[in-house]
Amino acid sequence: MKDKGMMKTIKGIAAPLPLANIDTDVIMPKRFLITITREGLADGTFADLRFDAAGQKRPGFILNKTPWTQATILVVGDNFGCGSSREHAVWGMRQLPIDACIGTGFAGIFYDNARKNGLALPIVSPEVRDSLLQFSNNPSGAEISINLERRMITAGEISAPFEMDDATRTALIRGRDDTLDSLDYTSVIRHFEAGLNERMRVSVIK
Amino acid sequence: MTRTLYDKLVDNHKVCDLPDGDMLIYVDFHIMNEYTSPQAFSGLASKGLKVWRPEAHLSVVDHVNATRSVEAPDAQSKLLIDNLEKNCTKHQIAFYGLGDPRQGIEHVIVPEQGLVVPGMLIACGDSHTTTYGAFGALGFGIGTSEVEHVLATQTLRYKRMKTMRVTIEGTTAPGVTAKDIIMKVVQVVGAGGANGFAVEFAGSAIVGLDMAGRMTVCNMAVELGARAALIAADEITEAALKGYPHSGQFAFRGESWVSDPRAIFDEEFTISGADIEPLITWGTSPDQSVPITSNVPSALDYVSPKAKAALERALQYMGLSEGQSAQSIKIDTAFIGSCTNSRIEDLREAAKILEGRQVAEGVEAIVVPGSAMTRLKAESEGLRAIFETAGFQWRPEAGCSMCLAMNDDIAMDGERVASSTNRNFEGRQGRGARTHLMSPAMVAAAAVCGHLADIRDFK
């Protein structure tokens, strides 16, 4: 077992981010990508939405307003995380810290990157998403609760199921390391490789 | 049991099922660049892991490097480039660095080296890895944690996707390119319309494309959310495998790399090739496009308040007015390059427009050939002379350049770019920069006119 600890429920203030097609260039502008580490990306996250060209906070942006400065959950528009494969987008969101994004659907690479970094992405119907947008838009600072085991979201009067595939849910709850886990299958991988003929074994000229 | 091409590719690479519903799939070939791999190598180091099969990987510098010279644009970029070389030396991985005659944009050089064949599974820390579907190979983009996983295990944890077929029937009119076909598909299916799907492109308009065109189509399939794109392998594919350094070395036989005739897809779209016109994007998402003969949308074209608000935001960012004609949009910059459209075929099409013409006054026009090999071929065909005589800057070093502006080719705040690239996102080509996507020939036409223009008007 390589468990880092169990996470079953995520609770926090949620911020509404209703724009559709928020891409990873917007989540993490490229000027923050010239780095060889995972750290130091919190300031880059949503940088052009949060800050103006002079580096001043944009007062109108939701994450700059009370109580959403404390938000750890986002309720987002359709197709969040589209575009580039940059995992920096997820690293930065985790460093803010954001623990979950609730939406109607996410781009595939972003979804997989999120799982690897403990960012939960519950998928709900457009109707539930819209009611959660409305709930989180209320400045009372009421929290949303995401129960991973029961796959249920509760927010005030709202109680709704969400979709999350089993493997992703297990990964989030166990906080496991996929690379180390997969090495448990070393002999199975070797067996598969033994079945490949020479012309199926790529060897790149140096 | 009839199967789709996608299912055949997955079945052939499945190592085993995992208890939680995922499977392990075998990665035949893995490509790395300097910006999405550093943290994967440090992950290996911190866990004390080795690279499973070093010869199955290729690293190339393409995202951050300058295009004016082999010198890195700044110290931090140099750190990324040097770091990749150091990691490859340590782990015995092939490295095509700056100045190497094989260097170029990853998805341009892989076919040029003969490193993709039908039936292969290719992963890369770059979303446009869907390009290899043009060869009947399964290519898809991965994040950095998955790069680490491939390095350590030669496999990925994988979930089988749903399948979608997009059929482009009939033939397209003269002046309509592969770029227009895929931009039309993105417009019809929507920017997230294929999330969770592997998309196969079919129909006579697709079969009729050359390999460069097929690569353009599969490359931009990720802009509709497709994690994988495929085109059935045929005699055009076979012919394109010959004459490169690795040609003849790899073969994945035992299957025909096409969908079975009666294979069932979860979703189907059909588009008539005759209905496709040369397109330009007007907004900040690749599905926001109109024919060049048409106008920017107005609020009257939309019903829902959400759609009206999205239009307003996009037009405000883009500095456009509702209903403005596409051809009235004046540009500051023309850019031809990127993994979508920087191959020799793209440069030839643009050169046809530019021959005997001049770039309009006040327009900065830049062409970045996709690889060192592409540049040399273009120069030997006389294309460089055509571009330079017309007033284009011919950049000597290959790379992603102004497609995502990670190097020093950055558009300024408010600058408007006619671009042969793949994404018109806010800030993509520079903070506040305004991108209009189109085919490379249309970029050349816009450069000549100083505003977006219809290549069909160029005789």
Side-chain angles (χ1 to χ4, degrees), chain A residues 17-156:
Chain A
L17 218 58
L19 278 178
N21 305 319
I22 296 253
D23 57 77
T24 53
D25 274 79
V26 166
I27 301 173
M28 187 60 67
K30 78 240 164 196
R31 60 187 181 278
F32 301 98
L33 304 177
I34 316 278
T35 175
I36 60 170
T37 69
R38 294 173 182 236
E39 287 77 40
L41 292 166
D43 284 349
T45 314
F46 301 117
D48 293 341
L49 298 177
R50 285 161 67 205
F51 308 104
D52 64 19
Q56 298 300 309
K57 278 190 180 172
R58 293 181 193 274
F61 183 59
I62 190 83
L63 293 178
N64 290 335
K65 294 196 278 193
T66 312
W68 299 283
T69 49
Q70 303 299 315
T72 54
I73 296 173
L74 302 177
V75 183
V76 298
D78 298 341
N79 196 33
F80 187 89
C82 60
S84 157
S85 65
R86 58 188 71 165
E87 197 166 316
H88 310 64
V90 173
W91 296 332
M93 286 177 69
R94 295 297 288 129
Q95 289 164 27
L96 263 185
I98 300 295
D99 297 328
C101 265
I102 304 168
T104 56
F106 298 89
I109 304 176
F110 180 81
Y111 187 85
D112 289 347
N113 287 342
R115 155 188 165 161
K116 303 276 184 184
N117 293 281
L119 175 67
L121 302 180
I123 295 173
V124 296
S125 68
E127 295 73 29
V128 170
R129 192 270 316 274
D130 288 349
S131 61
L132 290 172
L133 276 175
Q134 210 171 6
F135 178 86
S136 57
N137 203 32
N138 185 325
S140 68
E143 293 191 333
I144 286 185
S145 172
I146 301 165
N147 186 316
L148 293 174
E149 281 207 314
R150 292 175 46 231
R151 290 190 178 95
M152 286 294 290
I153 294 173
T154 46

Side-chain angles (χ1 to χ4, degrees), chain B residues 25 40 42 49 51 64 98 101 130 193 224 254 267 274 298-299 317 349 383 405 453:
Chain B
I25 49 163
S42 40
L49 301 175
V51 175
V64 308
L98 302 180
T130 51
L224 49 131
E267 291 229 25
S298 73
Y317 181 86
E349 288 306 307
L383 302 184

Side-chain angles (χ1 to χ4, degrees), chain B residues 79-90:
Chain B
L79 175 67
L80 258 70
I81 296 167
D82 292 347
N83 182 62
L84 181 61
E85 182 167 19
K86 199 177 69 195
N87 282 325
C88 290
T89 305
K90 178 179 169 190

Side-chain angles (χ1 to χ4, degrees), chain B residues 172-181 273 276-279 292 349 352-353 438-442 453-459:
Chain B
T172 52
V176 175
T177 66
K179 181 67 163 281
D180 303 301
I181 293 176
I276 305 175
E277 285 192 71
L279 295 170
I292 184 64
E349 288 306 307
K352 276 185 206 161
I353 299 289
M438 62 198 77
S439 72
M442 290 272 284
D454 191 341
I455 46 169
R456 294 169 299 186
D457 296 337
F458 285 66
K459 293 287 181 271

Side-chain angles (χ1 to χ4, degrees), chain A residues 4 18-26 29-39 41 47-56 58 77-80 82-88 91 104-113 115-117 126 129-130 133 165-168 170-171 174 176-193 196-206, chain B residues 12-22 24 26 28-29 35-36 38-40 42-44 47 49 52-53 55-58 64 74 76-77 79-80 83 92-96 102 115 120 124-127 141-146 148-149 152-155 157 159 191-192 195 222-223 225 227 245-246 248-253 284-285 287 306 310 313 404-406 410 413 423 425-431:
Chain A
K4 291 180 207 154
L19 278 178
N21 305 319
I22 296 253
D23 57 77
T24 53
D25 274 79
V26 166
K30 78 240 164 196
R31 60 187 181 278
F32 301 98
L33 304 177
I34 316 278
T35 175
I36 60 170
T37 69
R38 294 173 182 236
E39 287 77 40
L41 292 166
D48 293 341
L49 298 177
R50 285 161 67 205
F51 308 104
D52 64 19
Q56 298 300 309
R58 293 181 193 274
D78 298 341
N79 196 33
F80 187 89
C82 60
S84 157
S85 65
R86 58 188 71 165
E87 197 166 316
H88 310 64
W91 296 332
T104 56
F106 298 89
I109 304 176
F110 180 81
Y111 187 85
D112 289 347
N113 287 342
R115 155 188 165 161
K116 303 276 184 184
N117 293 281
R129 192 270 316 274
D130 288 349
L133 276 175
D165 68 90
D166 291 342
T168 299
T170 309
R174 289 182 47 205
R176 71 189 185 185
D177 185 306
D178 280 348
T179 304
L180 295 177
D181 269 5
S182 295
L183 282 169
D184 291 345
Y185 294 86
T186 294
S187 61
V188 186
I189 302 168
R190 292 274 178 231
H191 178 77
F192 180 90
E193 275 188 327
L196 302 175
N197 66 40
E198 264 318 296
R199 298 189 74 197
M200 297 162 88
R201 293 169 68 83
V202 171
S203 177
V204 180
I205 299 167
K206 281 199 184 161
Chain B
N12 272 265
H13 288 87
K14 183 165 120 178
V15 174
C16 63
D17 285 312
L18 296 172
D20 56 13
D22 281 358
L24 279 185
Y26 192 78
D28 299 310
F29 174 43
Y35 109 85
T36 61
Q39 300 85 351
S42 40
L44 285 188
K47 293 169 196 174
L49 301 175
W52 181 280
R53 220 180 146 259
E55 60 271 35
H57 308 265
L58 168 64
V64 308
D74 54 56
Q76 198 62 19
S77 303
L79 175 67
L80 258 70
N83 182 62
Q92 302 281 298
I93 290 170
F95 172 77
Y96 296 179
R102 303 165 296 186
L115 278 164
M120 196 181 256
C124 171
D126 186 275
S127 61
I142 55 177
T144 300
S145 296
E146 291 183 309
E148 176 196 297
H149 196 284
T153 70
Q154 206 55 45
T155 67
R157 288 182 171 244
K159 202 178 327 307
N195 276 346
V222 71
E223 312 315 335
R227 192 75 186 272
H246 288 86
Q249 209 176 323
F250 315 123
F252 289 74
R253 302 291 180 211
T284 54
S285 175
D287 56 357
K306 228 182 244 178
R313 185 185 166 93
L404 81 167
M406 272 188 83
I410 301 169
D413 197 354
R423 289 180 177 142
F425 298 156
E426 286 185 19
R428 171 83 176 177
Q429 296 191 293
R431 191 171 176 144

